[in-house]
């Protein structure tokens, strides 16, 4: 029994542990024990649903990335709010974004980031995972959108997944 | 409750209400489906996030210990909002809903 | 001061919910209605949290969490139904 006391998915276990501490409003003896039990059993039970290993190489860069994204989310909401309240009609565009990332999880993170940040929603990924279709709410030119996303987000994700 | 915490709660509440309202106005006012998608994914998510933070600050400064379980709601919304937006956008493209006039580029469906 | 701010915020969120209902009724297409429902449940979470603050209790927290989870699954299921014609393949 004790030889099974391993954490095959350390990130998932850590996530479950932290979520449980949040749910029980802060760290206490009981919540730590329960959190450890959950962090051990849930990955074991759901083992079959996770076909791929996570491919983070530099996971410690993730908090910095999330900080940047959080800042951008607030800025994005202000700019969208301005546009909505200004009463003018936006200039929308569909932009095909060429992906240089190839890991599925990395693409998912990039697409989610795009959806939450200034004036863009990611709509679809092509079947060969080379193109990302983006809808921009108010874009002057396609190249600007592509350059912006590459400089701000994809470069950082490329450093994390290799 | 200290004065600063009170101001913080009031500020967060009003910000949250404002963004929620803006998101809904965007949903009601913008011309086509794809532009309407932008209001809820950004403004409403941030709005509810601010309201949740207001609740965290309010209950944490009452002297009955910290109250951070609400943060989970915010984290969950921030993770799920882009996913549901993406799913609905895919469905709309599949149904070949036309974008508004003056949209550059075009949808694809596969 | 918090009481007044709470009332103003609740009023704003209720107006927001009414605007969502307007989009829900007007449509014109099914994805618009799904989007309106999606926004509506997020607003409901906000209203529940505001109710909790104004009553000074955290009892409704679980309800808000459950609505967040169920609403997301509902939206995904509806979007999937629109795209594929079935939810579980």
């Amino acid at each position: 029994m004790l030889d099974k006391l391993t954490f095959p998915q350390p990130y998932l276990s850590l996530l479950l542990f932290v979520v449980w501490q949040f749910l029980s409003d802060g760290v206490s003896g009981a919540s730590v024990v329960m959190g450890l039990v959950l962090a051990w059993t849930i990955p074991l039970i759901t083992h079959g649903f996770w076909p791929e290993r996570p491919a983070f190489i530099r996971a410690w860069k993730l908090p910095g990335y999330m900080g940047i994204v959080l800042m951008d989310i607030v800025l994005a909401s202000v700019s969208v709010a301005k546009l909505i309240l200004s009463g003018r009609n936006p200039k929308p565009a569909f932009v095909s974004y060429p992906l240089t990332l190839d890991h599925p999880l990395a693409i998912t993170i990039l697409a989610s980031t795009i959806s939450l940040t200034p004036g863009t929603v990611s709509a679809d990924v092509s079947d060969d995972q080379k193109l990302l279709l983006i809808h921009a709410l108010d874009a002057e030119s396609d190249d600007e959108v592509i350059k912006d996303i590459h400089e701000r987000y994809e470069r950082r994700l490329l450093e994390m997944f290799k | 409750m200290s004065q600063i915490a009170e101001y913080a709660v009031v500020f967060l509440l009003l910000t949250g209400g404002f963004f929620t309202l803006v998101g809904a106005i965007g949903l009601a006012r913008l011309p086509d489906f794809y532009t309407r998608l932008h209001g809820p994914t950004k403004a409403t998510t941030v709005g509810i996030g601010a309201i949740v933070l207001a609740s965290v600050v309010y209950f944490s400064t009452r002297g009955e210990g910290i109250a951070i379980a609400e943060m989970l709601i915010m984290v969950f919304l921030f993770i799920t909002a882009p996913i549901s937006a993406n799913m609905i956008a895919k469905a709309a493209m599949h149904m070949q809903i036309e974008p508004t006039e003056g949209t550059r580029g075009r949808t694809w469906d596969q | 001061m918090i009481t007044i701010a709470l009332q103003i915020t609740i009023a704003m969120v209720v107006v927001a919910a009414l605007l969502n209902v307007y989009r829900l009724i007007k449509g014109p297409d099914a994805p618009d209605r799904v989007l309106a429902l999606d926004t509506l449940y997020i607003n409901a979470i906000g209203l529940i949290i505001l109710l909790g603050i104004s009553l000074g209790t955290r009892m409704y927290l679980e309800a808000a969490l459950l609505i967040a989870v169920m609403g997301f699954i509902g939206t995904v299921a509806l979007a999937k139904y629109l795209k594929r014609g079935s939810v579980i393949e």
Side-chain angles (χ1 to χ4, degrees):
Chain A
M1 185 69 190
L2 271 178
D3 61 322
K4 277 192 183 166
L5 203 60
T6 55
F7 297 100
Q9 282 149 310
Y11 294 122
L12 179 62
S13 298
L14 186 69
L15 181 74
L16 288 167
F17 184 76
V18 172
V19 164
W20 188 256
Q21 305 311 315
F22 269 82
L23 258 183
S24 43
D25 273 335
V27 184
S28 67
S31 76
V32 167
V33 171
M34 194 63 199
L36 282 175
V37 169
L38 289 175
W40 175 55
T41 49
I42 293 181
L44 274 188
I45 296 168
T46 59
H47 195 72
F49 296 111
W50 300 85
E52 284 170 49
R53 312 265 100 193
F56 280 118
I57 298 295
R58 302 183 181 86
W60 66 86
K61 288 197 171 168
L62 197 62
Y65 180 77
M66 278 157 74
I68 292 169
V69 172
L70 265 180
M71 273 298 296
D72 282 358
I73 290 172
V74 176
L75 294 179
S77 306
V78 173
S79 67
V80 169
K82 261 189 207 155
L83 179 90
I84 288 174
L85 294 178
S86 71
R88 72 189 168 88
N89 270 335
K91 293 192 209 70
F94 281 100
V95 181
S96 291
Y97 179 81
L99 284 165
T100 39
L101 292 163
D102 51 6
H103 193 275
L105 180 61
I107 295 175
T108 312
I109 295 179
L110 182 68
S112 299
T113 309
I114 289 169
S115 289
L116 282 172
T117 46
T120 46
V121 167
S122 62
D124 206 355
V125 184
S126 65
D127 283 340
D128 55 2
Q129 305 199 328
K130 292 262 165 34
L131 282 175
L132 193 63
L133 184 64
I134 297 171
H135 183 264
L137 177 59
D138 200 28
E140 291 297 335
S141 78
D142 295 5
D143 294 336
E144 214 172 288
V145 175
I146 293 174
K147 196 167 142 270
D148 231 35
I149 291 170
H150 188 81
E151 295 283 301
R152 266 192 99 71
Y153 311 115
E154 196 175 20
R155 209 165 41 78
R156 290 192 171 83
L157 282 172
L158 273 172
E159 285 171 13
M160 271 187 273
F161 295 85
K162 215 39 190 198
Chain B
M1 187 186 289
S2 73
Q3 199 70 21
I4 301 167
E6 203 172 316
Y7 281 126
V9 170
V10 169
F11 173 74
L12 285 170
L13 277 177
L14 293 180
T15 320
F18 171 74
F19 278 120
T20 314
L21 187 56
V22 165
I25 292 174
L27 184 69
R29 178 186 91 81
L30 288 170
D32 73 334
F33 170 76
Y34 301 99
T35 50
R36 284 200 277 271
L37 204 54
H38 289 265
T41 45
K42 297 186 192 75
T44 305
T45 312
V46 169
I48 301 302
I51 291 177
V52 168
L53 275 183
S55 164
V56 170
V57 175
Y58 180 78
F59 286 111
S60 294
T61 52
R62 286 202 316 174
E64 299 164 13
I66 51 169
I68 49 172
E70 283 95 336
M71 295 284 280
L72 284 179
I73 300 177
M74 194 172 86
V75 173
F76 189 80
L77 282 183
F78 273 108
I79 294 172
T80 56
I83 299 173
S84 41
N86 186 284
M87 299 283 290
I88 306 173
K90 267 190 190 169
M93 287 196 298
H94 180 74
M95 293 172 75
Q96 290 169 350
I97 288 170
E98 287 297 314
T100 179
E101 247 174 74
T103 304
R104 273 178 294 123
R106 45 194 307 241
T107 63
W108 72 41
D109 185 44
Q110 52 191 1
Chain C
M1 194 163 68
I2 286 181
T3 323
I4 301 169
L6 258 177
Q7 284 165 351
I8 296 172
T9 313
I10 290 177
M12 285 198 275
V13 178
V14 167
V15 172
L18 287 177
L19 284 170
N20 294 340
V21 172
Y22 161 77
R23 178 54 68 194
L24 181 66
I25 294 168
K26 187 152 175 274
D29 300 299
D32 288 291
R33 299 203 161 94
V34 177
L35 188 64
L37 274 178
D38 185 66
T39 319
L40 200 57
Y41 92 74
I42 296 179
N43 284 2
I45 296 169
L47 275 179
I48 288 180
I49 294 171
L50 289 172
L51 179 72
I53 297 179
S54 59
L55 294 179
T57 168
R58 300 184 64 221
M59 245 169 52
Y60 300 102
L61 179 70
E62 273 80 8
L65 258 176
L66 277 178
I67 292 184
V69 176
M70 294 299 160
F72 170 64
I73 293 173
T75 306
V76 169
L78 277 172
K80 199 139 190 235
Y81 176 73
L82 288 181
K83 186 160 159 52
R84 308 262 188 200
S86 66
V87 179
I88 300 167
E89 291 160 31

